Amino acid sequence: MDGSGDQPLSIARRRFLRAGLTGGAALAGSLAAGRAAAADDPAITEIQDWNRYSGDGVDAHPYGMPSKFEAEVVRRNVPWLTADPISSVNFTPLHALDGIITPNGLCFERHHGGAAVIDPAEHRLMVNGLVDKPLVFTMDDLKRFPRHNKIYFLECAANTGMEWRGSQLNGCQFTHGMVHCVMYTGVLLKDILNEAGIKPAGKWVLAEGADAAAMTRSIPMEKALDDCMVAFAMNGEALRVEQGYPIRLVVPGFEGNMWVKWLRRLEVGDEPWEQREETSKYTDLLANGKARHFTWTMEVKSVITSPSPQAPIKHGKGPLVLAGLAWSGNGTITRVDVTTDGGRNWKTARIDGPSLPFALHRFYYEMDWDGSEMFLQSRAMDEKGYVQPTKQALRAVRGSNSIYHNNGIQTWYVNKDGAAENVEIS
Ligand code: MTE
Ligand code: CO
């Protein structure tokens, strides 16, 4: 990107070009995170209220909530992005979370007709179409199939979509927060389909939601018979209403749109529903006017969650932990590299915690910050050997018309005060 004006980067943030780079952060030999004891620090010298008085009893919080000091850690929407909150999205506060599991109450929500509130006793799942025996299941019926527990990420195809046209949103919650990762409990879609008996001509499974949008997507039979699940629990408890209570489809590694919530019907067919109806929403428009179709797999991606615009460095120079997330719809993440100087030098980060296929991976990079400005990036690689591309490389192939499937490398500019900003560099 040469700044000649023929590409759509955000002008306001163009001032951060390579010319402005200083040395970046050096790796230190000694990491000392502690501080010298201050004799007059009241946090040490005074007896605090919580130490003086007893706290709430065990009957105060039948369903526990986070500490009131975590009140800022919430899903947020961007009101100008959509016309109405009924058909909209809010974002997971990735900058404030750690590990690989997203707490249920913080999983981003994306729905087209609001969140349906369904009494599980009244809910039915119908299987029809090209099957030997059309069937209807109650929730109790579903729970008689063998159960499976799997940790998977769900990423909306539109995640990072605003960034196709340059740096737009200032915070990884907004640029990357249409992703969550929970442990699902449910039954295999193939067990349900096999009970109905798939006719030889059955090549697609149409999944339909019971919400006001009656959200509908087709799943290729090969995937349906592989690892798809009908889930009724997340992180050990019943699905949340926003996530499709009482059941949702789980389509590991595939775009979130296919994970139909409030699932009420599975119709086996010989062609995808998308071919019968107008569904241009879910294609990727290229520069030449053609569109990519059925781009289901979420390609390898990563982001540094801290520091980031909503999580600046507050402690000054010295030991600094870069934390981030990586994921791939092709399986596991095998490596994540990070750079503090906009890609001149890359170091391999440490993946910590479980490395599971189609799940978020947590990475850290411990460093000694010398207080100079940084251009932070992370670049993930997956088990199929795919490497996360730069945004420039992505645009060279896909143009910038699409809002879907942007897995380009993200840059945070960190100034000498530790504040971070969403930028693009050449
Ligand atoms: N299922 C129904 N029934 N209705 C919807 O609007 N939105 C889809 C998908 N399943 C949707 C749906 C989209 S676009 C995404 S990205 C995911 O659900 C979001 O899942 P979540 O709300 O659990 O994050
Ligand atoms: Co979506």
Side-chain angles (χ1 to χ4, degrees), residues 21-344:
L21 272 174
T22 56
L27 269 180
S30 65
L31 289 178
R35 281 158 205 275
D40 56 353
D41 181 355
I44 299 171
T45 57
E46 302 299 314
I47 295 176
Q48 308 292 336
D49 282 355
W50 52 87
N51 192 196
R52 200 188 303 263
Y53 308 109
S54 48
D56 285 343
V58 292
D59 51 357
H61 308 286
Y63 196 105
M65 297 299 285
S67 161
K68 66 179 179 182
F69 301 105
E70 300 295 319
E72 290 295 303
V73 184
V74 289
R75 300 186 280 220
R76 290 177 202 282
N77 68 350
V78 176
W80 54 263
L81 269 185
T82 50
D84 192 294
I86 299 276
S87 180
S88 191
V89 60
N90 59 25
F91 299 90
T92 308
L94 298 179
H95 62 288
L97 301 179
D98 222 317
I100 65 164
I101 298 293
T102 315
N104 286 342
L106 295 177
C107 288
F108 85 93
E109 299 166 63
R110 169 81 182 99
H111 25 79
H112 297 74
V117 178
I118 299 177
D119 176 351
E122 304 291 321
H123 193 66
R124 303 287 182 270
L125 175 64
M126 178 190 284
V127 184
N128 68 338
L130 298 176
V131 292
D132 299 330
K133 183 174 41 150
L135 293 173
V136 172
F137 296 91
T138 64
M139 289 299 295
D140 283 342
D141 296 334
L142 288 173
K143 289 181 178 171
R144 294 162 70 181
F145 286 106
R147 282 182 218 177
H148 298 266
N149 291 295
K150 291 284 188 182
I151 298 176
Y152 292 132
F153 76 80
L154 179 165
E155 183 183 19
C156 179
N159 199 22
T160 322
M162 292 306 293
E163 308 292 305
W164 275 111
R165 293 170 178 78
S167 316
Q168 303 279 339
L169 297 168
N170 218 19
C172 70
Q173 177 167 21
F174 306 112
T175 54
H176 290 75
M178 289 169 84
V179 66
H180 52 61
C181 183
V182 303
M183 179 184 276
Y184 293 98
T185 306
V187 302
L188 289 176
L189 179 58
K190 85 169 163 214
D191 288 345
I192 298 173
L193 294 174
N194 284 337
E195 180 147 323
I198 305 159
K199 288 199 167 25
K203 297 286 178 246
W204 294 83
V205 181
L206 169 151
E208 181 186 76
D211 53 330
M215 170 86 217
T216 307
R217 279 300 299 262
S218 300
I219 314 292
M221 189 58 81
E222 200 188 9
K223 183 70 173 172
L225 296 181
D226 182 13
D227 53 3
C228 291
M229 292 166 70
V230 172
F232 48 81
M234 58 196 283
N235 292 334
E237 64 178 359
L239 289 183
R240 291 292 174 89
V241 167
E242 306 91 297
Q243 265 65 48
Y245 180 89
I247 45 172
R248 89 172 305 163
L249 199 59
V250 168
V251 193
F254 279 25
E255 60 187 18
N257 190 250
M258 302 170 89
W259 300 48
V260 173
K261 303 191 277 190
W262 311 290
L263 181 69
R264 74 164 171 211
R265 198 165 69 89
L266 297 163
E267 182 187 315
V268 177
D270 56 359
E271 60 169 10
W273 171 84
E274 286 81 352
Q275 238 140 269
R276 291 185 249 154
E277 307 270 341
E278 169 58 52
T279 55
S280 58
K281 291 187 304 196
Y282 290 100
T283 57
D284 312 328
L285 185 58
L286 301 174
N288 63 7
K290 292 195 172 166
R292 301 196 316 154
H293 198 19
F294 296 149
T295 47
W296 300 310
T297 300
M298 299 310 294
E299 301 289 349
V300 61
K301 188 162 172 178
S302 70
V303 65
I304 292 176
T305 51
S306 171
S308 64
Q310 299 156 287
I313 306 170
K314 292 190 185 136
H315 52 57
K317 55 175 83 165
L320 172 66
V321 175
L322 303 186
L325 289 167
W327 61 95
S328 169
N330 285 307
T332 55
I333 294 294
T334 49
R335 191 170 129 190
V336 182
D337 290 341
V338 297
T339 176
T340 57
D341 57 12
R344 282 184 185 161

